[in-house]
Amino acid sequence: MGNTLGLAPMGALPRRSPRREEPLPNPGSFDELHRLCKDVFPAQMEGVKLVVNKVLSSHFQVAHTVHMSALGLPGYHLHAAYAGDWQLSPTEVFPTVVGDMDSSGSLNAQVLLLLAERLRAKAVFQTQQAKFLTWQFDGEYRGDDYTATLTLGNPDLIGESAVHWVATLNVGSGGAHASYYHKANEQVQVGVEFEANTRLQDTTFSFGYHLTLPQANMVFRGLVDSNWCVGAVLEKKMPPLPVTLALGAFLNHWRNRFHCGFSITVG
């Protein structure tokens, strides 16, 4: 007896249903991207907390929170929220105003506005007793399958004391060079630099910071770049002598190279 092999006709083979291509939905607000994952983790609890919620109307509600802990003094928070009439989804109502004030008079507030069908704006204010501590303004554009956000933090529109910053950009046939310098206060300064060389096909991104410790007569500088290089330099002045001691070390993880040095400056 011989073995026979039968082949089914082409029309009898099961056909794959064509893949249905659906457009990607909008990812939503930038602040909500990690919310689902964060909601899975338990919140840290310590002491005793009592929360009382009260709905005053369809637009306004308040909450009272009393927290007693062994780590600090008892605290009280008053939370108030106002929601407008324009509801785009179960979680989006415009305009929305949210505020939280503690027993010391410090305030955290947010204002959400719908400027157009795809354009949203948010303002965040934080005060410490009677002084403004933080300002932040966000502009958000909702596309069909993307969300673009622009954030402006701590703008001092009156005294111009919160912005000491310099931004530069140079573009030419050989590449581009951009840098940003920001002086946070008298002790902390940061800088970001981007260089792209089209001839060498090389791109470098660097972040550096400058920390001054006036009481210790010390200055610390550090950097991290996209070439896996980490470096730091520590300078120490020796008053009343006109002597400055410096110790530096740099490590390139990609090339496995380490450099260090020591210097003495007189005068």
Side-chain angles (χ1 to χ4, degrees):
M1 297 292 296
N3 296 330
T4 60
L5 178 63
L7 297 177
M10 294 298 295
L13 293 177
R15 295 184 179 181
R16 287 186 176 181
S17 59
R19 184 177 180 181
R20 183 180 180 183
E21 296 183 358
E22 297 181 356
L24 294 175
N26 184 276
S29 176
F30 181 80
D31 297 334
E32 299 293 326
L33 293 179
H34 303 286
R35 182 181 60 85
L36 294 177
C37 180
K38 290 183 178 180
D39 291 343
V40 175
F41 297 91
Q44 184 177 0
M45 300 181 64
E46 195 278 331
V48 179
K49 179 185 291 186
L50 173 64
V51 181
V52 178
N53 296 315
K54 178 64 176 179
V55 178
L56 302 180
S57 66
S58 60
H59 300 285
F60 192 71
Q61 64 179 6
V62 296
H64 304 272
T65 303
V66 179
H67 186 204
M68 293 180 291
S69 172
L71 300 179
L73 298 176
Y76 167 77
H77 286 261
L78 173 62
H79 180 85
Y82 170 81
D85 297 324
W86 200 341
Q87 184 171 1
L88 298 183
S89 66
T91 59
E92 289 184 316
V93 181
F94 297 95
T96 299
V97 182
V98 179
D100 184 276
M101 179 177 290
D102 60 12
S103 56
S104 65
S106 300
L107 172 67
N108 292 328
Q110 293 187 11
V111 180
L112 303 177
L113 298 175
L114 183 65
L115 305 180
E117 182 181 0
R118 295 177 178 266
L119 189 61
R120 294 164 170 80
K122 181 177 70 172
V124 179
F125 307 93
Q126 183 178 4
T127 66
Q128 186 174 8
Q129 296 181 352
K131 297 181 180 180
F132 277 100
L133 187 63
T134 301
W135 300 59
Q136 181 174 316
F137 299 95
D138 295 344
E140 184 179 273
Y141 178 80
R142 297 281 186 95
D144 294 334
D145 55 359
Y146 69 93
T147 298
T149 304
L150 176 63
T151 301
L152 179 63
N154 278 359
D156 191 346
L157 304 179
I158 300 177
E160 299 182 359
S161 60
V163 184
H164 304 292
W165 59 271
V166 178
T168 60
L169 173 63
N170 297 327
V171 180
S173 59
H177 183 196
S179 65
Y180 174 79
Y181 164 82
H182 185 88
K183 184 177 181 181
N185 50 49
E186 296 299 328
Q187 287 78 35
V188 180
Q189 306 173 49
V190 295
V192 180
E193 188 177 33
F194 173 80
E195 291 185 80
N197 193 319
T198 57
R199 299 175 182 175
L200 300 178
Q201 299 294 321
D202 182 49
T203 303
T204 305
F205 177 83
S206 305
F207 170 79
Y209 57 94
H210 181 284
L211 177 62
T212 303
L213 302 176
Q215 297 180 354
N217 296 316
M218 296 176 62
V219 174
F220 183 81
R221 296 181 175 89
L223 74 88
V224 178
D225 62 16
S226 57
N227 293 326
W228 299 89
C229 182
V230 179
V233 175
L234 178 63
E235 298 180 359
K236 170 68 175 179
K237 294 184 179 181
M238 309 294 293
L241 299 177
V243 177
T244 301
L245 306 179
L247 176 64
F250 294 85
L251 175 63
N252 191 318
H253 294 80
W254 183 262
R255 299 182 180 180
N256 196 19
R257 293 181 180 179
F258 176 76
H259 302 276
C260 65
F262 179 78
S263 68
I264 301 177
T265 303
V266 180

